[in-house]
Amino acid sequence: VRIFSMMDEPILDAICEKLRHKIYIKGSNILYNGGLVEKMVFVMHGKLESIEGEDGIRISLTQGDACGEELLQWCLENSLLYTASRKPEKVLRSERTVRALTNVEVFSLRADDLEEVIIRFSRLFQRPRVQAALRYESPYWRSLAATRIQMAWRNRKNRLNRKRAASQTN
């Protein structure tokens, strides 16, 4: 799985020990927009479709892809080791819906199991290589970044248009 390609062997071994085999039938929802993100899912066989929030941006997920990877970043940010000075968030809400387009065979990693691994290997997760794997290899984070860049561009363009209109009326 690409998201874990840059992680160290001890982390991967610990994660593999916690994985659970699951099968989702065609049409099943794995994540719901606004629902709780309680697991990461690694696609072994089949096709999933990720539909991003209000914009409806669609991303196809196939063998080797993962969904729910925002849970990993959330667990890193909210684990007890990272939140000595602030109260951790209680839940993570999904900003997308992930649906099975075919019957899908996956490995699932529950949030509790992931948090246990993060606490156990906290120093390894702080390495820049691991952080890069989280942000740059994840289809979710790429899509989120592209959406935010587009929104910033539209806002800037609208501000410039308003300034031009205001200067023309004066």
Side-chain angles (χ1 to χ4, degrees), residues 54-86:
E54 298 167 6
D55 295 337
I57 298 170
R58 295 173 186 267
I59 299 172
S60 181
L61 302 172
T62 59
Q63 183 176 349
D65 288 329
C67 68
E69 61 271 19
E70 61 268 33
L71 182 62
L72 180 55
Q73 188 67 35
W74 183 84
C75 283
L76 284 169
E77 292 171 355
N78 289 290
S79 71
L80 297 174
L81 300 171
Y82 291 87
T83 58
S85 63
R86 65 181 172 92

Side-chain angles (χ1 to χ4, degrees), residues 33-48:
N33 190 6
L36 296 178
V37 180
E38 300 173 321
K39 62 187 171 277
M40 285 181 69
V41 174
F42 306 97
V43 182
M44 301 310 295
H45 299 287
K47 288 180 81 171
L48 299 172

Side-chain angles (χ1 to χ4, degrees), residues 16-165:
C16 287
E17 289 175 8
K18 304 289 184 180
L19 292 175
R20 297 167 190 225
H21 184 261
K22 285 193 163 197
I23 296 178
Y24 290 96
I25 60 171
K26 180 179 179 178
S28 299
N29 284 337
I30 296 170
L31 294 176
Y32 301 90
N33 190 6
L36 296 178
V37 180
E38 300 173 321
K39 62 187 171 277
M40 285 181 69
V41 174
F42 306 97
V43 182
M44 301 310 295
H45 299 287
K47 288 180 81 171
L48 299 172
E49 178 180 53
S50 174
I51 305 165
E52 304 287 331
E54 298 167 6
D55 295 337
I57 298 170
R58 295 173 186 267
I59 299 172
S60 181
L61 302 172
T62 59
Q63 183 176 349
D65 288 329
C67 68
E69 61 271 19
E70 61 268 33
L71 182 62
L72 180 55
Q73 188 67 35
W74 183 84
C75 283
L76 284 169
E77 292 171 355
N78 289 290
S79 71
L80 297 174
L81 300 171
Y82 291 87
T83 58
S85 63
R86 65 181 172 92
K87 185 178 175 183
E89 299 285 326
K90 296 264 187 219
V91 295
L92 173 63
R93 300 262 179 216
S94 178
E95 295 179 7
R96 62 184 170 160
T97 298
V98 178
R99 181 174 299 125
L101 296 176
T102 64
N103 289 344
V104 181
E105 183 181 352
V106 302
F107 283 112
S108 177
L109 179 64
R110 292 184 8 224
D112 293 339
D113 293 333
L114 180 59
E115 194 164 19
E116 185 181 316
V117 170
I118 288 172
I119 290 171
R120 191 168 144 200
F121 294 101
S122 61
R123 288 186 305 150
L124 296 177
F125 274 103
Q126 293 174 355
R127 291 184 180 167
R129 243 177 29 148
V130 174
Q131 292 295 319
L134 294 176
R135 292 222 166 82
Y136 301 121
E137 295 296 326
S138 163
Y140 170 76
W141 289 110
R142 285 181 181 174
S143 173
L144 188 63
T147 302
R148 290 190 177 163
I149 289 168
Q150 288 171 352
M151 287 173 43
W153 178 254
R154 284 185 203 130
N155 289 338
R156 183 179 188 286
K157 193 172 163 183
N158 288 339
R159 279 195 314 267
L160 289 174
N161 288 339
R162 284 194 299 265
K163 283 183 182 179
R164 282 189 198 129

